Amino acid sequence: MLDYLFNAISRFGQPFSNAIIKLGFACRFMLAILRHSPTSLLRFQLTMREIWFAGVLSVLIIAISGLFVGMVLALQGFDTLQRFGATESLGVLVALSLVRELGPVVGALLFASRAGSAITAEIGLMKATEQLAAMEMMAVNPIARVVAPRFWGGVISMPLLAAMFSAMGIFGGYLIGVKLLGLDEGAFWSQMQSAVDFRQDVINGVIKSVVFGIAISLIAVFEGYDAPPTAEGVSGATTRTVVTSSLVILALDFVLTAFMFRGI
Amino acid sequence: MKRGMIDFWVGLFAVAGIAALLFLSLRVSSQTTLPASDSYELTANFDNVGGLKVRAPVKSAGVLVGRVSSITLDTERYVARVKLSMDSRYHFSKDASAEILTSGLLGEQYIGVTSGADDKMLQAGNNFTITSSAIVLEQLISRVLFNKAETAAEK
């Protein structure tokens, strides 16, 4: 009877203990990446290839999504602001929403879906086909050769992509507000400039996107490296990357916003 | 893909990212926060600051001359003590007045400074002697209603 009870308790606690073990492994993994970063960053071509893979290939989805998000914001914002006779503030609404929140957050969600999942699948498949084991046999450290360049490629790409998302969104807002709905162009830009502060809004947005870049890249390389070496294991790891990254982005966004914009 | 082509695309990506950041910094935002080295501090006491916030602009003749750096309660006199970080290019006379104004009907609140006729100038750490508090809409409406009620009662 007592054995049965102990077994039941241990079965109930297993997922929690597994999660703690996984978190501990992730911390050790992060330290290993940092330790091997100088050697992999010195081999510049490796990181360049990863920036191309994670950053350049994500530009199209980021730019088009940014444009449409800006256009929708302008349409919805105009409808609401018109009721208060404050349509000149449309530029402010579009710019602040994009620079502070939507640029870093939606950009990061798209980046996690497009680049994060691809990184996990690539590393997971390398593990499943025993390429990582082969590297170790040849005295090549897979963390320095495979993981660290992908991590830094993601970290460097993310803020640039978020800036592109915000810029394209503001351009989309301009197209709808000024060109389609006939707002005054001077008022649109001048009100935006007077309300958006470079240090408070733009720099904080960039800091957010750097933090998201670190989180997504770490989750993507970790899930790939930790994936069971089977087809099912790789597909599960890819899904986990997108789900975990999305939740972590939203949670981190709440924490960072509370720190950065409290009291405004 | 060849190494040269990867370098080309990554270079183009970096240029596009930096161009987007430059667009956000030059076209979308402004360097509105005054640098700490080029400013001096003045203080103004108000009976009521209304919705005035830290970093709100200080304007004179519509030109930005400073920013609100802190708002605290003076517990001896129970007035709001507002510290202003003023641009060192602009100086105001000793009898200058500071009032809390609202830009537009629903706009943000800011401090308007009107210079006086005194030859002596306000120095760092000095107080504005003449101040005018924010107009609180509820007080204004209740005053109008009381006046109406009084005139109706007199009739």
Side-chain angles (χ1 to χ4, degrees), chain A residues 3 52 55 112 140 168 234:
Chain A
D3 280 355
W52 172 77
V140 176
M168 285 303 287
V234 175

Side-chain angles (χ1 to χ4, degrees), chain A residues 59-123:
Chain A
V59 166
L60 200 63
I61 188 174
I62 289 279
I64 293 173
S65 308
L67 188 72
F68 280 115
V69 166
M71 286 161 79
V72 169
L73 262 180
L75 279 175
Q76 292 282 13
F78 188 84
D79 183 47
T80 311
L81 289 171
Q82 203 171 29
R83 296 175 199 187
F84 302 103
T87 45
E88 281 78 21
S89 301
L90 185 73
V92 180
L93 185 140
V94 171
L96 279 182
S97 315
L98 280 162
V99 171
R100 281 185 180 180
E101 284 298 325
L102 295 173
V105 175
V106 180
L109 290 173
L110 291 170
F111 182 74
S113 320
R114 165 65 187 78
S117 58
I119 290 170
T120 305
E122 199 184 9
I123 298 176

Side-chain angles (χ1 to χ4, degrees), chain A residues 107-190:
Chain A
L109 290 173
L110 291 170
F111 182 74
S113 320
R114 165 65 187 78
S117 58
I119 290 170
T120 305
E122 199 184 9
I123 298 176
L125 206 64
M126 286 173 97
K127 193 179 175 188
T129 51
E130 295 186 344
Q131 291 179 51
L132 298 182
M135 275 182 199
E136 275 177 19
M137 287 285 287
M138 291 186 287
V140 176
N141 190 322
I143 290 185
R145 177 66 179 79
V146 174
V147 174
R150 280 163 180 76
F151 173 78
W152 287 110
V155 173
I156 293 166
S157 301
M158 187 58 241
L160 297 173
L161 289 170
M164 284 181 210
F165 187 97
S166 299
M168 285 303 287
I170 290 164
F171 180 64
Y174 165 79
L175 284 182
I176 293 295
V178 176
K179 297 292 176 192
L180 188 75
L181 299 170
L183 278 178
D184 181 55
E185 188 172 347
F188 182 85
W189 291 113
S190 67

Side-chain angles (χ1 to χ4, degrees), chain B residues 47-115:
Chain B
D47 291 332
N48 193 332
V49 288
L52 189 76
K53 286 183 178 133
V54 173
R55 287 181 58 245
V58 179
K59 290 180 179 178
S60 182
V63 179
L64 183 79
V65 294
R67 286 208 170 261
V68 172
S69 57
S70 77
I71 303 170
T72 49
L73 184 69
D74 184 345
T75 46
E76 284 179 11
R77 294 160 54 200
Y78 287 94
V79 291
R81 193 174 180 77
V82 179
K83 286 194 173 166
L84 312 172
S85 176
M86 306 292 286
D87 193 319
S88 56
R89 286 175 298 171
Y90 306 113
H91 289 274
F92 297 92
S93 59
K94 279 253 180 193
D95 59 345
S97 65
E99 54 187 331
I100 298 176
L101 303 167
T102 309
S103 49
L105 196 61
L106 296 166
E108 57 169 354
Q109 285 192 306
Y110 66 96
I111 292 183
V113 177
T114 314
S115 202

Side-chain angles (χ1 to χ4, degrees), chain A residues 207-232:
Chain A
I207 292 170
K208 265 188 182 182
S209 59
V210 171
V211 175
F212 295 158
I214 293 170
I216 297 166
S217 305
L218 181 65
I219 291 167
V221 292
F222 174 76
E223 289 292 354
Y225 200 79
D226 193 44
T230 57
E232 197 185 1

